[in-house]
């Protein structure tokens, strides 16, 4: 039997929060104070809950019909497959690490 990466429930909570309009309180509950977000917004990663919350809310507001379609789980990580309408085609990869309220990230 394959052992999946930890924290799938956190990814599921993130997806639910995004489907609820990137609710700041719900996202604050699952993002660690020391979260680090690697993504297409800047050459350097965003560090800290407040900076990451602002980035997530900005993307959510700009992306019409943002929908997470599926969460894929493997032995080392989880991936949330999403899509949205945009005036320009784009593709991104986001990676976040940091502690969770109950455990340290495996990164």
């Amino acid at each position: 039997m394959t052992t999946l990466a930890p924290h799938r429930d956190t990814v599921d909570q993130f997806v639910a929060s995004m489907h609820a309009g990137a609710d700041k309180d719900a996202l604050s509950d699952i993002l660690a104070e020391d979260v680090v977000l690697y993504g297409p917004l800047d050459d350097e990663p965003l560090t800290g809950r407040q900076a990451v919350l602002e980035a997530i809310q900005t993307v959510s507001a700009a992306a019409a019909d943002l929908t997470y379609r599926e969460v894929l789980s493997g032995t080392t990580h989880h991936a949330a497959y999403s899509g949205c309408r945009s005036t320009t085609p784009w593709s991104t990869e986001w990676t976040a690490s940091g502690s969770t309220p109950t455990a340290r990230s495996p990164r």
Side-chain angles (χ1 to χ4, degrees):
M1 181 176 192
T2 303
T3 301
L4 298 178
H7 310 299
R8 167 64 190 250
D9 58 332
T10 304
V11 176
D12 290 336
Q13 290 172 348
F14 173 81
V15 168
S17 298
M18 294 302 290
H19 284 163
D23 180 70
K24 185 176 182 174
D25 292 333
L27 288 168
S28 291
D29 286 346
I30 60 172
L31 293 175
E33 188 63 42
D34 63 347
V35 66
V36 178
L37 179 66
Y38 303 87
L41 299 177
D42 201 339
D43 290 337
E44 296 297 318
L46 295 173
T47 303
R49 182 183 295 139
Q50 189 59 41
V52 171
L53 277 172
E54 289 173 11
I56 289 171
Q57 290 182 315
T58 299
V59 169
S60 178
D65 299 327
L66 178 64
T67 303
Y68 285 81
R69 297 183 174 120
E70 182 177 16
V71 175
L72 306 171
S73 295
T75 57
T76 61
H77 65 279
H78 307 285
Y81 172 63
S82 63
C84 67
R85 285 188 299 122
S86 175
T87 56
T88 4
W90 57 286
S91 175
T92 64
E93 178 181 338
W94 301 79
T95 305
S97 64
S99 61
T100 66
T102 57
R104 293 288 309 165
S105 170
R107 268 186 162 233

